[in-house]
């Protein structure tokens, strides 16, 4: 079955409003949202951001997923440490099962180890298709720091051609369709402002 096919106007809106890119500069914290898709790409992206001096501290958030006895956090942190990121530079959150929980469960951990008031800039790292929902969720619960966004795409389809790959297109549209209901329910906040 073929899913919804976006027209050129919707593609343009999604490109400009949802699949945002931000200027990247060194940040106080890299917030690595857990995943079960494209784990290697997520680890590589986080490692390169750390190696290239874009962060000193990282928090990896993600709980158990069906079929695994290790949390997303455990898997991603182990991959980062194997590449050379110091284990004591990585804060851990092991319970989250969705983006909202990633943020809600991570904030007390960040506060206990670093102090929320010491963090002025955060880079959000997640999947292309979810894009702006990461910083929007973070902004809802922690509006003070400046947020930047880095996304990972483990599909062979380039980011700009997301609408040409049926599976990637379906994922982007699913996330795009969540924005307004999530805003109405107070799960996310408008970002950037």
């Amino acid at each position: 079955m073929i899913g919804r096919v976006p027209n050129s106007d919707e593609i343009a809106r999604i490109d400009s409003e949802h699949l945002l890119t931000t200027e990247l500069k060194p940040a106080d914290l890299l917030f690595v949202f857990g995943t079960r898709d494209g784990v290697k790409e997520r680890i590589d992206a986080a490692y390169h951001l750390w190696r290239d001096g874009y962060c000193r501290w990282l928090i990896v958030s993600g709980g158990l997923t069906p079929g695994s006895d290790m949390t997303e956090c455990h898997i991603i942190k182990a991959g980062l440490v194997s590449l050379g990121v110091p284990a004591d530079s990585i804060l851990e959150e092991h319970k989250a099962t969705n983006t909202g929980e990633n943020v809600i469960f991570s904030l007390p951990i960040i506060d206990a180890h670093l102090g929320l008031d010491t963090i002025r800039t955060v880079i959000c790292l997640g999947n292309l298709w979810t894009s702006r929902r990461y910083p929007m969720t973070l902004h809802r619960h922690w509006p003070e720091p400046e947020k930047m966004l880095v996304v990972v795409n483990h599909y062979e389809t380039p980011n700009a051609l997301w609408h040409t790959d049926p599976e990637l297109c379906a994922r982007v549209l699913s996330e795009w369709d969540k924005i307004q209901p999530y805003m109405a329910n107070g799960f996310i906040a408008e970002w950037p402002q």
Side-chain angles (χ1 to χ4, degrees):
M1 182 168 106
I2 296 176
R4 182 171 116 226
V5 177
N7 63 33
S8 59
D9 289 342
E10 187 174 29
I11 291 168
R13 279 195 66 209
I14 291 170
D15 286 345
S16 67
E17 297 174 28
H18 184 64
L19 303 179
L20 301 176
T21 57
T22 62
E23 184 177 332
L24 199 56
K25 64 182 181 184
D28 298 320
L29 179 70
L30 174 61
F31 197 119
V32 183
F33 287 82
T35 189
R36 66 186 78 98
D37 297 317
V39 174
K40 180 188 179 317
E41 291 82 0
R42 182 77 47 95
I43 291 168
D44 289 347
Y47 167 72
H48 286 102
L49 287 165
W50 172 81
R51 183 200 66 195
D52 295 343
Y54 284 99
C55 64
R56 176 172 172 235
W57 294 100
L58 303 83
I59 184 156
V60 179
S61 174
L64 287 172
T65 57
S68 178
D69 59 351
M70 290 192 297
T71 65
E72 292 171 346
C73 175
H74 177 84
I75 293 165
I76 293 170
K77 180 177 180 176
L80 289 168
V81 171
S82 75
L83 293 174
V85 179
D88 60 0
S89 293
I90 306 171
L91 307 179
E92 303 175 40
E93 186 290 307
H94 291 275
K95 297 185 299 185
T97 61
N98 60 55
T99 307
E101 289 181 353
N102 288 137
V103 172
I104 292 166
F105 296 162
S106 293
L107 289 179
I109 296 166
I110 297 166
D111 196 29
H113 288 86
L114 305 174
L116 291 176
D117 58 339
T118 68
I119 306 298
R120 291 184 171 77
T121 52
V122 178
I123 298 171
C124 300
L125 175 61
N127 293 319
L128 167 70
W129 49 90
T130 306
S131 280
R132 78 171 173 153
R133 195 160 61 78
Y134 296 115
M136 291 178 84
T137 305
L138 192 60
H139 197 68
R140 160 64 179 83
H141 298 282
W142 193 20
E144 294 81 9
E146 176 186 353
K147 287 128 190 115
M148 294 166 275
L149 176 62
V150 173
V151 295
V152 176
N153 175 9
H154 71 275
Y155 288 88
E156 291 183 14
T157 305
N159 292 4
L161 298 176
W162 63 268
H163 55 280
T164 66
D165 180 310
E167 185 179 339
L168 180 55
C169 182
R171 286 185 150 189
V172 170
L173 291 174
S174 173
E175 292 298 329
W176 170 248
D177 290 343
K178 291 176 184 178
I179 297 294
Q180 289 310 315
Y182 280 22
M183 287 280 288
N185 285 311
F187 299 152
I188 59 178
E190 193 57 61
W191 174 89
Q193 294 204 352

